[in-house]
Amino acid sequence: MVHILFTLSMPNNNSWNGKWSGEGSFYGIIRASDEDKAKTILDNGSYYYNFGDGWCASVSVEEISKKDVKGTQKKLKGFCGYDWMVSSIIKHGKIQAD
């Protein structure tokens, strides 16, 4: 089993000040996957989703060791309601709205 850290950022936005209110926070999710699926996910490195309104999400992926999972989870702030993006990456190999 391979543990994957998915980290969310919003590199492009159209907010009044050009910043995302979550900027500077550690938004992430850790998921376990079998080795073949994990390799496919990790090979991409990051995934992007354009909301079509000036906002774009980026989800970076990296392998995390089993011993680091618990400590990292304590630092995570969740995924801002965008858990569906992680599910889509795992299921489809890309972020797509179902």
Side-chain angles (χ1 to χ4, degrees):
M1 201 53 63
V2 176
H3 293 85
I4 303 171
L5 171 62
F6 296 82
T7 305
L8 176 69
S9 65
M10 296 286 179
N12 298 320
N13 64 70
N14 68 358
S15 65
W16 69 273
N17 65 356
K19 297 185 186 246
W20 174 40
S21 61
E23 198 170 315
S25 294
F26 190 12
Y27 293 105
I29 294 177
I30 298 171
R31 295 285 187 256
S33 180
D34 65 65
E35 289 189 26
D36 289 335
K37 187 70 159 179
K39 181 176 177 0
T40 302
I41 292 167
L42 293 167
D43 279 350
N44 226 10
S46 62
Y47 298 82
Y48 296 92
Y49 184 78
N50 187 334
F51 290 96
D53 61 357
W55 285 81
C56 179
S58 175
V59 178
S60 62
V61 294
E62 64 182 286
E63 184 173 353
I64 185 169
S65 70
K66 186 174 181 177
K67 72 175 186 131
D68 290 336
V69 168
K70 193 171 188 176
T72 302
Q73 281 179 327
K74 289 179 182 180
K75 299 174 187 173
L76 298 176
K77 306 284 187 204
F79 220 69
C80 292
Y82 295 111
D83 301 44
W84 63 270
M85 291 183 179
V86 173
S87 297
S88 180
I89 291 167
I90 293 168
K91 185 175 181 181
H92 305 291
K94 63 183 178 180
I95 303 173
Q96 67 181 38
D98 286 336

